[in-house]
Amino acid sequence: RLLQAGAVRNVLALEPAAWWRDLTPLDVVPGFFAKPIHVFAVPAPLPRTYAVGRAIIADHAREIEILADPAFDPRRAVVLEPGAPALESPSFTGESRVVLRKPDRVVVKADLGASGYVVLVDGWDAGWIATVDGSRTPVLRANVAFRAVVVPSGRHVVEFIYRPWPLRLGLGVSAATLAALVLAAGFRKWRGTPPQAVSPSG
């Protein structure tokens, strides 16, 4: 179930384990180890992005427990941290798809029948910011390690952009420095200060 929720499609394994029973064997291939590599397919993994209409709010200690619970359906609900908005749309319908994917930018198109959550199965980090139709919206940590945003009903464009705080700080300092230089040049021109002559040496 955790592999499905993580949009994992294939698994490589060396040692036999009980969880193999839930996977589909594809092949056994030689590798760099003495034992062969077993290749499995994960049945019905979630897509890279999807939409749900319900959230379960839980602290970190219970998130994995909820995700592993057979009663939890990740296609209908998402697990969010305390403080996140808790929506409940019993008759929710919606879909989303990735239309642009880069290391620092992901664009998703969504069509929701009611307000809900668009989940992106990519790693959560505080440096990610998100917009819905150009308006900033919080990036929620979803299903322990992924990202989600609240999206109203209708068709929308959701954009995720990675802007870690050191980069934002550097851009802010650069902008402030540029503004100070422009102001200084303008003040100098306004005062009519003549340029300083430079005497040739020797």
Side-chain angles (χ1 to χ4, degrees):
R1 293 184 60 80
L2 296 178
L3 294 173
Q4 289 173 328
V8 176
R9 297 185 177 276
N10 297 101
V11 173
L12 306 180
L14 291 175
E15 298 291 340
W19 54 268
W20 285 16
R21 297 193 306 265
D22 298 325
L23 304 178
T24 303
L26 294 180
D27 203 353
V28 179
V29 298
F32 296 106
F33 306 97
K35 295 182 179 180
I37 299 173
H38 295 259
V39 184
F40 298 92
V42 178
L46 286 168
R48 180 62 63 182
T49 181
Y50 57 96
V52 297
R54 176 173 174 257
I56 299 174
I57 308 300
D59 58 28
H60 186 68
R62 293 194 59 239
E63 287 178 312
I64 294 293
E65 178 184 339
I66 293 172
L67 289 173
D69 188 340
F72 174 74
D73 185 355
R75 290 169 176 79
R76 296 183 178 275
V78 62
V79 181
L80 302 176
E81 292 181 305
L87 302 179
E88 183 78 32
S89 301
S91 58
F92 177 86
T93 59
E95 59 182 9
S96 60
R97 59 188 178 93
V98 176
V99 296
L100 177 66
R101 182 177 174 82
K102 294 183 178 181
D104 61 348
R105 183 171 176 247
V106 181
V107 179
V108 175
K109 286 189 175 181
D111 188 358
L112 279 57
S115 294
Y117 306 90
V118 168
V119 182
L120 181 64
V121 188
D122 277 354
W124 183 91
D125 184 89
W128 284 99
I129 62 175
T131 62
V132 176
D133 300 330
S135 298
R136 282 284 296 269
T137 189
V139 179
L140 309 173
R141 189 165 66 85
N143 293 348
V144 178
F146 307 125
R147 290 175 246 154
V149 295
V150 175
V151 178
S153 62
R155 295 181 178 179
H156 303 279
V157 175
V158 181
E159 185 172 10
F160 296 88
I161 301 175
Y162 190 58
R163 293 290 184 268
W165 72 264
L167 176 61
R168 294 200 297 269
L169 178 61
L171 291 174
V173 171
S174 298
T177 302
L178 179 60
L181 291 174
V182 171
L183 288 173
F187 182 74
R188 186 183 185 87
K189 183 177 180 181
W190 177 72
R191 290 289 303 271
T193 305
Q196 297 293 324
V198 178
S199 300
S201 60

